Amino acid sequence: MAWMLHHINLPALNVRETKAFLRDIIGLKEGRWIYPDRPGELHHDDDSIAYFGAGNQGLHVVRSVPSFAHDNGFMHNPTVGGHFAISVPDLGAVKVKLDAADVPYSDAGVYAMAGIHQIYVYDPAFNVIEVNQTVEPLPSAKLDDQDAAAEIHLRHAAIPAPDIETSTAFFRDLIGGDALSFDSDGATFRSGDHALRLTHVTSGYKVGQNADPATREPYFTLAVPDLDAVEARLDQDNIPNSGRVTDLVDGETSLFLHTPSLRLMAVVQA
């Protein structure tokens, strides 16, 4: 089944601080959220969410809301710990697979984004995963109001998987196809320009390497139009970063750094 990375839900202790960091240091431009006619209990305000992207795709910066699952009648709380979302052409088929495997999920319906049917599920490592499908065209008037300059380009989502074989089987059965590559550090699924990376959870660093972020914690990668400018702003503000290193997923030159809420991210040249 074809799939794509729809968005990264990035947890933030201080949404305004993280928003300023992504805008002023990474160089992203804020987008405009498109709500459905009858949204759920989203708790959205300037202190709880910031959005970068267009058409609700991209980067969702959120403050954790402990009551979110209860308020919406969900089993899963997508605001705690963050998550990544993949879009598929047939969400019904995914639900059939989950039901057959007796894997519980929260069926949110169209509740947060116009025209997008969302479900949430735990993977074998208890990462919250969102799977969604566009079931109705986004309102044309609101699409016309979107700023094309706010569009961002996600490349990868990397999540920890203590048992690579079990997690690989789960995602293979969920989205179809086999992982295209295995190595000593994990497994990678690909669809077009997007990749899902499952990484071993280990301690310490590899001998001879100063850093190996892909095996430490979840991270996401986005492409920026001017990597030199991002690096210059990081250096100017004395923000710790990896310097230019080779990303394990594509072998591209990347900068790894942490957001103000200490969530790891990587940027590459578009």
Side-chain angles (χ1 to χ4, degrees), residues 2 16 68-69 76 78 91 97 107 112 121 130 150-151 158 173 177 182 189 196 269:
R16 290 176 185 253
F68 194 92
H76 308 79
L91 185 60
K97 294 176 182 178
D107 191 339
V121 63
E130 175 184 329
E151 184 177 2
D173 294 341
F182 288 91
F189 288 84
L196 167 61
Q269 180 68 45

Short mmCIF file of all heavy atoms in Angstrom, two decimals, residues 2 16 68-69 76 78 91 97 107 112 121 130 150-151 158 173 177 182 189 196 269:
data_model
loop_
_atom_site.label_atom_id
_atom_site.label_comp_id
_atom_site.label_asym_id
_atom_site.label_seq_id
_atom_site.Cartn_x
_atom_site.Cartn_y
_atom_site.Cartn_z
N ALA A 2 0.60 2.18 -0.88
CA ALA A 2 1.34 3.44 -0.90
C ALA A 2 1.03 4.24 0.36
O ALA A 2 -0.10 4.21 0.86
CB ALA A 2 0.98 4.25 -2.14
N ARG A 16 5.18 28.28 22.64
CA ARG A 16 5.62 29.56 22.07
C ARG A 16 7.14 29.58 21.88
O ARG A 16 7.63 30.11 20.88
CB ARG A 16 5.19 30.71 22.98
CG ARG A 16 3.68 30.96 22.99
CD ARG A 16 3.31 32.04 23.99
NE ARG A 16 1.87 32.21 24.10
CZ ARG A 16 1.18 33.24 23.61
NH1 ARG A 16 1.82 34.19 22.95
NH2 ARG A 16 -0.12 33.32 23.78
N PHE A 68 -6.70 14.59 27.28
CA PHE A 68 -7.10 14.61 25.87
C PHE A 68 -7.85 13.34 25.47
O PHE A 68 -8.90 13.40 24.82
CB PHE A 68 -5.88 14.80 24.98
CG PHE A 68 -6.19 15.15 23.56
CD1 PHE A 68 -6.28 16.48 23.15
CD2 PHE A 68 -6.41 14.17 22.60
CE1 PHE A 68 -6.58 16.81 21.84
CE2 PHE A 68 -6.71 14.49 21.29
CZ PHE A 68 -6.80 15.82 20.91
N ALA A 69 -7.32 12.17 25.83
CA ALA A 69 -7.97 10.92 25.46
C ALA A 69 -9.35 10.83 26.12
O ALA A 69 -10.34 10.49 25.46
CB ALA A 69 -7.10 9.74 25.86
N HIS A 76 -6.14 6.11 23.18
CA HIS A 76 -4.78 6.60 23.04
C HIS A 76 -4.76 8.12 23.18
O HIS A 76 -5.69 8.80 22.73
CB HIS A 76 -4.20 6.21 21.68
CG HIS A 76 -4.32 4.75 21.37
ND1 HIS A 76 -5.50 4.18 20.94
CD2 HIS A 76 -3.40 3.75 21.43
CE1 HIS A 76 -5.30 2.88 20.76
NE2 HIS A 76 -4.05 2.60 21.05
N PRO A 78 -2.77 11.10 21.78
CA PRO A 78 -1.75 11.46 20.79
C PRO A 78 -0.94 12.70 21.16
O PRO A 78 0.02 13.02 20.46
CB PRO A 78 -2.58 11.71 19.52
CG PRO A 78 -3.92 12.16 20.03
CD PRO A 78 -4.14 11.39 21.29
N LEU A 91 -7.90 3.59 4.46
CA LEU A 91 -7.85 3.43 5.90
C LEU A 91 -8.71 2.24 6.34
O LEU A 91 -8.39 1.56 7.33
CB LEU A 91 -8.33 4.71 6.59
CG LEU A 91 -8.24 4.76 8.11
CD1 LEU A 91 -6.80 4.58 8.57
CD2 LEU A 91 -8.82 6.07 8.64
N LYS A 97 -7.18 -5.00 9.00
CA LYS A 97 -5.98 -5.71 9.45
C LYS A 97 -5.82 -5.64 10.96
O LYS A 97 -5.48 -6.63 11.62
CB LYS A 97 -4.74 -5.13 8.76
CG LYS A 97 -4.67 -5.35 7.26
CD LYS A 97 -3.45 -4.66 6.68
CE LYS A 97 -3.39 -4.81 5.18
NZ LYS A 97 -2.24 -4.09 4.58
N ASP A 107 -10.57 5.16 16.94
CA ASP A 107 -11.09 5.69 15.68
C ASP A 107 -11.64 7.08 15.95
O ASP A 107 -12.74 7.24 16.48
CB ASP A 107 -12.17 4.77 15.13
CG ASP A 107 -12.56 5.11 13.70
OD1 ASP A 107 -12.31 6.26 13.28
OD2 ASP A 107 -13.11 4.23 13.00
N ALA A 112 -10.19 16.61 13.87
CA ALA A 112 -9.18 17.64 14.10
C ALA A 112 -8.81 18.41 12.84
O ALA A 112 -8.48 19.58 12.91
CB ALA A 112 -7.92 17.04 14.71
N VAL A 121 -2.99 4.15 17.08
CA VAL A 121 -2.70 2.79 17.49
C VAL A 121 -1.31 2.76 18.12
O VAL A 121 -0.45 3.59 17.79
CB VAL A 121 -2.78 1.83 16.28
CG1 VAL A 121 -1.73 2.19 15.23
CG2 VAL A 121 -2.65 0.37 16.70
N GLU A 130 -0.28 7.46 14.23
CA GLU A 130 -1.52 7.87 13.59
C GLU A 130 -1.51 7.38 12.14
O GLU A 130 -0.50 7.49 11.45
CB GLU A 130 -1.66 9.39 13.59
CG GLU A 130 -2.89 9.89 12.82
CD GLU A 130 -2.99 11.40 12.73
OE1 GLU A 130 -2.53 12.10 13.67
OE2 GLU A 130 -3.50 11.89 11.71
N ALA A 150 4.67 28.45 3.38
CA ALA A 150 4.70 27.76 4.67
C ALA A 150 4.88 26.26 4.51
O ALA A 150 5.12 25.55 5.50
CB ALA A 150 3.42 28.05 5.45
N GLU A 151 4.76 25.74 3.29
CA GLU A 151 4.88 24.30 3.08
C GLU A 151 6.26 23.81 3.49
O GLU A 151 7.28 24.45 3.20
CB GLU A 151 4.63 23.96 1.61
CG GLU A 151 4.64 22.48 1.32
CD GLU A 151 4.32 22.18 -0.14
OE1 GLU A 151 4.12 23.14 -0.92
OE2 GLU A 151 4.27 20.99 -0.50
N ALA A 158 11.94 8.60 12.58
CA ALA A 158 12.70 7.51 13.18
C ALA A 158 12.18 7.27 14.59
O ALA A 158 12.04 8.22 15.36
CB ALA A 158 14.19 7.83 13.21
N ASP A 173 2.75 -5.38 7.97
CA ASP A 173 1.36 -5.80 7.87
C ASP A 173 0.41 -4.61 7.85
O ASP A 173 -0.67 -4.67 7.25
CB ASP A 173 1.00 -6.72 9.04
CG ASP A 173 1.77 -8.04 8.99
OD1 ASP A 173 2.28 -8.39 7.91
OD2 ASP A 173 1.86 -8.70 10.04
N GLY A 177 4.04 -4.26 2.17
CA GLY A 177 5.41 -4.28 1.67
C GLY A 177 6.39 -4.64 2.76
O GLY A 177 6.08 -4.67 3.95
N PHE A 182 17.79 -3.59 5.87
CA PHE A 182 18.10 -3.93 7.25
C PHE A 182 19.59 -3.70 7.45
O PHE A 182 20.39 -3.88 6.54
CB PHE A 182 17.79 -5.41 7.54
CG PHE A 182 16.33 -5.74 7.63
CD1 PHE A 182 15.63 -6.13 6.50
CD2 PHE A 182 15.67 -5.66 8.83
CE1 PHE A 182 14.29 -6.45 6.57
CE2 PHE A 182 14.32 -5.97 8.92
CZ PHE A 182 13.63 -6.37 7.79
N PHE A 189 11.70 1.49 6.09
CA PHE A 189 10.65 1.41 5.09
C PHE A 189 10.70 2.68 4.25
O PHE A 189 10.98 3.76 4.78
CB PHE A 189 9.26 1.32 5.74
CG PHE A 189 8.96 0.00 6.39
CD1 PHE A 189 9.38 -0.26 7.68
CD2 PHE A 189 8.23 -0.97 5.72
CE1 PHE A 189 9.09 -1.46 8.31
CE2 PHE A 189 7.93 -2.18 6.33
CZ PHE A 189 8.36 -2.43 7.63
N LEU A 196 10.46 5.58 6.90
CA LEU A 196 10.21 5.26 8.29
C LEU A 196 11.37 4.40 8.77
O LEU A 196 11.64 3.34 8.20
CB LEU A 196 8.89 4.50 8.45
CG LEU A 196 8.65 3.83 9.81
CD1 LEU A 196 8.62 4.87 10.93
CD2 LEU A 196 7.36 3.02 9.79
N GLN A 269 19.63 19.54 3.29
CA GLN A 269 19.42 20.46 2.18
C GLN A 269 18.33 19.93 1.25
O GLN A 269 18.35 18.77 0.85
CB GLN A 269 20.72 20.64 1.39
CG GLN A 269 20.63 21.58 0.21
CD GLN A 269 20.41 23.02 0.63
OE1 GLN A 269 21.05 23.52 1.54
NE2 GLN A 269 19.49 23.69 -0.06
#
